[in-house]
Amino acid sequence: MKHRSSQSLIEVIVAIGILSSAIISIISMAYYTLQLSGQGMDTVISNALAREGIEVVYAIYGGNLLNSDKVWPYGLDTNGNYVVQYDTTALSTAADNSTLSACANCQLCVSQTTGIYVNYSSGCPGGYVLTPLRRMITIADGDSESICVGTYCTGGAQVEKKITSRVYWQQRGRPYTARVEARFTNWHR
């Protein structure tokens, strides 16, 4: 009789061990799935903000393109690193550091009510929350071409501007960057 009860006790302990292992495995898979889901959401938001940066620069370019007082490169004259947000009408705010991860005025805040992201270098205004996201727009000269008349050629006429929008964030100590690039061409030449 004693032998049988000790065997039942061992069976119960083994069964509890197997059940515990199964439950721990299921919980850890659920936790890992939630982590990946959060990382995926950050990637989607960062890509959208990088695209928005290009669209803001395109709106500045397009607005100046229609202005008869403006000439190529239509408001994108000065190469450099800039900070923009959805309602920016000119490239007037330079990034305070060329390294995106260290740029203080590139930090983004998000509205708790509207979900709109904005840049503020000295903390977020009321109703906004600081995010781990930073955005920088880089304007650089793109391709140039020589203009030839007969056998005489002039070198390096600027025909293109390269616009790069980058969004940087860290998650669990790992750095991530979303990057979108566009090239604007002087098609009036």
Side-chain angles (χ1 to χ4, degrees), residues 2 30 53 55 65 75 114 165 179:
K2 268 186 172 177
E55 291 300 321
L65 182 68
T114 64
S165 177
R179 184 175 187 265

Side-chain angles (χ1 to χ4, degrees), residues 50 54 136-140 162-166 179-182:
I54 294 292
M136 181 186 295
I137 306 298
T138 303
I139 309 291
K162 180 175 137 182
I163 318 304
T164 306
S165 177
R166 293 177 295 141
R179 184 175 187 265
V180 177
E181 185 178 300

Side-chain angles (χ1 to χ4, degrees), residues 34-57:
L34 287 173
Q35 283 183 324
L36 285 179
S37 172
Q39 183 179 347
M41 182 59 81
D42 287 344
T43 302
V44 168
I45 290 170
S46 298
N47 282 322
L49 288 168
R51 282 193 310 271
E52 180 189 62
I54 294 292
E55 291 300 321
V56 168
V57 174

Side-chain angles (χ1 to χ4, degrees), residues 57-136:
V57 174
Y58 184 74
I60 293 167
Y61 175 81
N64 288 318
L65 182 68
L66 298 175
N67 184 342
S68 61
D69 296 336
K70 300 284 184 174
V71 294
W72 170 257
Y74 306 107
L76 309 179
D77 306 44
T78 308
N79 292 343
N81 298 312
Y82 296 93
V83 174
V84 299
Q85 57 191 38
Y86 71 96
D87 59 352
T88 300
T89 58
L91 292 174
S92 58
T93 306
D96 63 12
N97 194 318
S98 62
T99 304
L100 182 55
S101 61
C103 179
N105 70 337
C106 296
Q107 189 87 39
L108 294 170
C109 301
V110 64
S111 169
Q112 293 176 314
T113 56
T114 64
I116 293 176
Y117 287 79
V118 295
N119 289 91
Y120 284 100
S121 58
S122 58
C124 299
Y128 284 79
V129 176
L130 190 64
T131 71
L133 303 171
R134 298 170 189 263
R135 177 173 57 194
M136 181 186 295

